[in-house]
Amino acid sequence: MQDPAITEDLISAHGVNADEYAEILRILNREPSFTELGIFSAMWNEHCSYKSSKIHLKTLPTTGPQVICGPGENAGVVDIGDGQAVVFKMESHNHPSYIEPHQGAATGVGGILRDVFTMGARPVAAMNALSFGEKDHPRTRQLVHGVVEGIGSYGNCFGVPTIGGEVRFHAAYNGNCLVNAFAAGLADADKIFYSAASGVGRPVVYLGAKTGRDGVGGATMASAEFDDTIEEKRPTVQVGDPFTEKRLMEACLELMQTGAVVSIQDMGAAGLTCSAVEMGDKGQLGIRLDLEKVPQREERMTAYEMMLSESQERMLMVLDPAKEAEARAVFDKWDLDFAIVGETIAEDRFLVVHDGVTKADVPLSRLSSSAPEYDRPWEPSEPPAPLDDVPAVDPVDALKSLIGSPNYCARNWVFEQYDTMVMADTVEGPGWGAGVIRVHGTDKKLAFTSDVTPRYVRANPVEGGKQAVAEAFRNLCAVGARPLATTDNLNFGNPEKPEIMGQFVGAVQGIGRACEALGTPIVSGNVSLYNETDGQAILPTPTIGAVGLIAADEEPILGRARDGHVALVIGDTQGHLGQSALLCEVFNREEGDAPAVDLIAERRNGEFILAQRDLIKACTDLSDGGLALAAFEMASASGVGVLIDETDQARLYGEDQGRYLVACNFDQAEALMIAAGQAGVPIQSVGRFTGDTVRFGRSQAPLSELTDLHQSAFASHFAV
């Protein structure tokens, strides 16, 4: 098949602008071949190169005594003691999931799992953060069902517990849903596998499933806005096979025990191109590929298609040649392809040959580390106008509005479709602030959470970015876990618009300040830009995934409130209603500023919770919905009523940060108040847990009635 001529339309279709094409001509000193254009397009798009975000990402804190490996590898690695490490990352699969919800979400799960076991870690936990449009939008029901089914089918078949996550709904996601997938695994700290190639003349080995035409151009599609041609992009969505992925994981982990692996890289975005280039660039080597040796499941595939296919369940490895027979036997055992498709070379070249014909010959280093880097113009977000008066509403009626809405009702319908107990180490599953698992074979536990409040970020990107990190920090502290580190998934609109770029810059600044102050460095992450449809951007959604450790000699805080327990609020309450859940759900208003985040108070209050864990029977952080929603959720989870003395609407529903709701016995409450006074931590008794009603001042309703509404609302909105 003859390659098409390189025209302006073809260049534009590959997402390459005029300046970038001029740079390609300068690098090559000639016009690129069709395959070379595809390779440059894949490696220089936003999804692979981070060309609009790199300059700002470099400002984030990424190191600490607990960090073994920070950003730049397939996943971050953090020390958890006793020679063990937790390996984790969060990544988006937004555009594919909107185009084809089931497969888009499923392959998002598959991709993040490969990122983890590529490092030599066995996956032990998964989460997801999902953002959909309005509940009554024509596509929302289909997207919810397809995405949840895709996540469940892949994760359940693969065999990893889904232990937490988020689901939100807002009109800004009507044309562009978000699917952010998180995975974590465990490994020996001295047996982490990296992607940098080393040694000249070593075999480059293709591992896993065969290559097809699915996903060709997927990375380029993920770096562009949507428009009315969206249905034409359906072939760019990959198709996943979790059973093949399970075999691939077992084969890779077994292979790693043989000493055969010099370096290894998941074939994710841009497939064979990105994996080969990244391994060569990190090792300062060149790569030669002979494409006729690539295992193919379709006939007459071109070099362009093979290089840009995003077929799933594939790896690329640099092999110790002395171990070839042993390595091949492992993959034969697991009935997976094992093919030597090239070798490392000393020259700075990415040489792609197909049936003896050179299809690409490019300086390899110019494809990755020398990709374009833009300092795009940006405008700080305008300070929001002060919040006008908020009308008074009956506090229990307000609670009913929240817990009956798709944003604050229980998520049972979602997480009951996920296997939360596989591997038998789950201690706390979805539905509470953080999921908790046992570190198998030890008395240690790991906690995981995911957080962001996009309304806050739109109103005030810096404070919103800080708040996302702070809430993740609080969720971990609330279950008794000491926060270790974070991963980020930065979802924004078109960075070529200064106001959108301003949101991104502000959020990164806030995230950086919070991670620094709270001791939770960013060790991995993902940037997803161009989340727009017909020029309408999503809410800025910088999702934060966080991991915490409960040491072997520590008890988690996983109890529930009991009849007679005192309710205490730890942290200062001023009654901030700007951008609050009350304002949004009851009054349909998104106004005012985001709540301020006092990072010194956040750390002090979180450390107080951890230090006083023996006095605390149940704990949750206060975030959306403030004290009222937190008190109801704790009561509902415990099956006991709650009486809150507070009658002021702002103090009930305000979303001041740095706060926790604690339940404990009376004598323990006294001891906590004494300890808080000594530590300079604000603390207030706000009521007690008792009876079978929820009462705020004189307003009350039966707990059973409210719980039924809370538990049934999601299915009533979205179930068939």
Side-chain angles (χ1 to χ4, degrees):
M1 182 184 298
Q2 188 171 1
D3 287 343
I6 305 299
T7 64
E8 287 186 9
D9 287 345
L10 189 66
I11 295 165
S12 177
H14 280 76
V16 176
N17 65 36
D19 290 340
E20 290 167 352
Y21 189 68
E23 180 64 11
I24 292 171
L25 295 178
R26 194 189 69 77
I27 290 169
L28 298 178
N29 200 28
R30 58 175 170 79
E31 187 176 82
S33 69
F34 181 52
T35 300
E36 288 170 337
L37 177 63
I39 288 170
F40 273 105
S41 166
M43 292 305 302
W44 285 11
N45 64 47
E46 290 286 354
H47 195 71
C48 293
S49 75
Y50 296 90
K51 60 190 178 186
S52 295
S53 57
K54 276 190 293 189
I55 190 172
H56 303 289
L57 298 178
K58 291 173 183 177
T59 67
L60 291 170
T62 59
T63 60
Q66 73 275 41
V67 177
I68 295 172
C69 176
E73 279 293 337
N74 289 286
V77 186
V78 174
D79 192 345
I80 60 170
D82 307 308
Q84 294 179 300
V86 59
V87 179
F88 62 96
K89 187 182 182 184
M90 180 173 273
E91 192 162 84
S92 62
H93 230 222
N94 303 335
H95 285 51
S97 298
Y98 188 79
I99 296 169
E100 215 305 305
H102 184 107
Q103 288 297 343
T107 52
V109 174
I112 200 67
L113 290 169
R114 287 196 302 280
D115 282 338
V116 167
F117 70 74
T118 299
M119 303 288 290
R122 180 174 292 276
V124 294
M127 297 190 296
N128 50 81
L130 312 177
S131 301
F132 299 105
E134 296 169 295
K135 68 180 179 69
D136 296 324
H137 187 270
R139 284 216 61 189
T140 298
R141 181 186 292 262
Q142 175 210 3
L143 289 169
V144 169
H145 278 263
V147 166
V148 171
E149 289 167 358
I151 291 169
S153 66
Y154 204 102
N156 296 353
C157 294
F158 179 87
V160 62
T162 299
I163 61 164
E166 311 173 84
V167 187
R168 71 178 54 84
F169 298 86
H170 193 281
Y173 304 104
N174 281 346
N176 198 128
C177 66
L178 302 183
V179 175
N180 294 173
F182 170 99
L186 292 171
D188 291 338
D190 61 351
K191 295 178 182 176
I192 305 299
F193 287 82
Y194 298 98
S195 58
S198 65
V200 175
R202 283 179 164 164
V204 174
V205 184
Y206 175 112
L207 307 169
K210 289 180 168 57
T211 294
R213 291 186 171 93
D214 50 320
V216 173
T220 301
M221 175 272 293
S223 302
E225 294 181 35
F226 284 153
D227 54 28
D228 56 10
T229 65
I230 185 171
E231 287 301 318
E232 299 172 14
K233 296 181 171 68
R234 190 172 297 274
T236 64
V237 178
Q238 312 93 328
V239 177
D241 179 353
F243 298 107
T244 297
E245 176 121 331
K246 174 68 171 176
R247 289 186 289 124
L248 178 62
M249 177 192 71
E250 297 294 352
C252 285
L253 294 179
E254 185 175 334
L255 179 68
M256 289 166 176
Q257 303 305 310
T258 68
V261 178
V262 174
S263 65
I264 189 165
Q265 175 72 38
D266 162 40
M267 283 196 229
L272 188 55
T273 290
C274 193
S275 56
V277 169
E278 287 192 1
M279 286 203 304
D281 186 62
K282 290 175 184 175
Q284 297 182 314
L285 292 170
I287 299 282
R288 173 193 168 107
L289 295 177
D290 296 298
L291 295 186
E292 66 275 5
K293 299 175 182 177
V294 171
Q296 300 162 53
R297 70 167 185 261
E298 299 187 48
E299 295 182 355
R300 294 185 295 279
M301 288 191 70
T302 66
Y304 179 95
E305 290 169 333
M306 281 186 275
M307 292 307 298
L308 298 184
S309 167
E310 293 183 8
S311 294
Q312 297 292 285
E313 293 86 42
R314 303 180 300 158
M315 296 282 195
L316 199 65
M317 173 182 72
V318 174
L319 172 73
D320 178 350
K323 300 276 189 177
E324 179 185 338
E326 193 174 356
R328 187 182 296 275
V330 170
F331 273 74
D332 286 346
K333 167 187 167 182
W334 289 100
D335 193 24
L336 293 165
D337 279 296
F338 178 102
I340 296 175
V341 297
E343 65 175 354
T344 58
I345 58 179
E347 301 93 340
D348 179 20
R349 296 173 72 190
F350 188 39
L351 183 59
V352 179
V353 180
H354 190 203
D355 292 330
V357 178
T358 298
K359 292 294 185 177
D361 189 353
V362 179
L364 188 146
S365 64
R366 303 309 302 272
L367 289 168
S368 183
S369 57
S370 298
E373 184 173 318
Y374 296 133
D375 185 2
R376 294 197 184 276
W378 61 276
E379 298 173 354
S381 297
E382 289 290 330
L387 179 63
D388 291 334
D389 289 342
V390 179
V393 62
D394 181 272
V396 170
D397 287 346
L399 179 66
K400 290 178 180 178
S401 294
L402 263 63
I403 64 177
S405 77
N407 279 308
Y408 301 108
C409 62
R411 303 299 196 242
N412 304 48
W413 184 89
V414 175
F415 61 70
E416 285 172 358
Q417 298 186 53
Y418 305 150
D419 191 333
T420 63
M421 300 302 293
V422 65
M423 303 181 81
D425 281 319
T426 301
V427 177
E428 184 75 61
W432 205 236
V436 181
I437 65 163
R438 283 180 290 269
V439 177
H440 195 77
T442 78
D443 292 325
K444 295 181 295 191
K445 300 173 183 66
L446 288 169
F448 305 93
T449 190
S450 167
D451 284 290
V452 66
T453 307
R455 295 190 313 276
Y456 293 173
V457 186
R458 181 175 62 181
N460 188 327
V462 175
E463 290 300 313
K466 287 163 61 178
Q467 191 275 339
V469 177
E471 186 174 346
F473 177 89
R474 290 197 302 274
N475 279 341
L476 296 177
C477 292
V479 297
R482 185 165 299 280
L484 289 177
T486 52
T487 181
D488 58 9
N489 201 149
L490 307 178
N491 308 273
F492 289 82
N494 184 343
E496 296 169 49
K497 298 177 179 178
E499 66 275 16
I500 299 295
M501 198 65 210
Q503 292 176 346
F504 180 88
V505 172
V508 169
Q509 290 173 350
I511 290 167
R513 293 174 194 172
C515 288
E516 187 75 44
L518 301 177
T520 55
I522 297 280
V523 297
S524 59
N526 170 249
V527 177
S528 176
L529 302 176
Y530 294 96
N531 288 290
E532 297 198 7
T533 297
D534 295 327
Q536 298 299 308
I538 61 164
L539 291 180
T541 312
T543 308
I544 299 294
V547 177
L549 175 67
I550 303 169
D553 59 350
E554 295 174 333
E555 287 298 319
I557 307 172
L558 297 176
R560 298 293 186 255
R562 294 290 179 262
D563 197 347
H565 276 172
V566 177
L568 300 167
V569 169
I570 291 171
D572 188 37
T573 299
Q574 297 294 321
H576 182 94
L577 287 177
Q579 299 297 330
S580 65
L582 175 79
L583 201 64
C584 183
E585 298 294 343
V586 177
F587 300 103
N588 196 30
R589 293 164 56 187
E590 296 180 27
E591 301 169 12
D593 202 352
V597 180
D598 181 339
L599 294 169
I600 294 174
E602 286 283 0
R603 185 155 191 170
R604 178 198 64 205
N605 296 354
E607 289 178 348
F608 178 79
I609 293 289
L610 296 176
Q612 304 299 327
R613 70 176 71 226
D614 292 343
L615 297 174
I616 297 171
K617 296 302 183 183
C619 183
T620 184
D621 86 303
L622 270 60
S623 51
D624 283 42
L627 171 61
L629 185 56
F632 162 74
E633 289 178 338
M634 187 177 282
S636 181
S638 307
V640 61
V642 62
L643 311 179
I644 298 296
D645 302 325
E646 187 62 67
T647 58
D648 181 81
Q649 179 169 279
R651 294 181 69 84
L652 274 171
Y653 285 96
E655 297 179 5
D656 307 277
Q657 300 297 293
R659 298 185 301 155
Y660 299 82
L661 177 64
V662 165
C664 58
N665 296 325
F666 184 80
D667 57 341
Q668 294 165 328
E670 283 190 319
L672 269 177
M673 297 184 85
I674 292 169
Q678 294 170 342
V681 172
I683 189 168
Q684 179 186 8
S685 174
V686 295
R688 67 188 191 277
F689 291 90
T690 190
D692 57 6
T693 63
V694 173
R695 190 176 79 196
F696 301 141
R698 295 185 177 182
S699 178
Q700 63 181 16
L703 175 64
S704 58
E705 174 191 324
L706 297 174
T707 296
D708 287 346
L709 172 61
H710 187 237
Q711 295 290 324
S712 64
F714 199 97
S716 71
H717 290 311
F718 300 109
V720 174

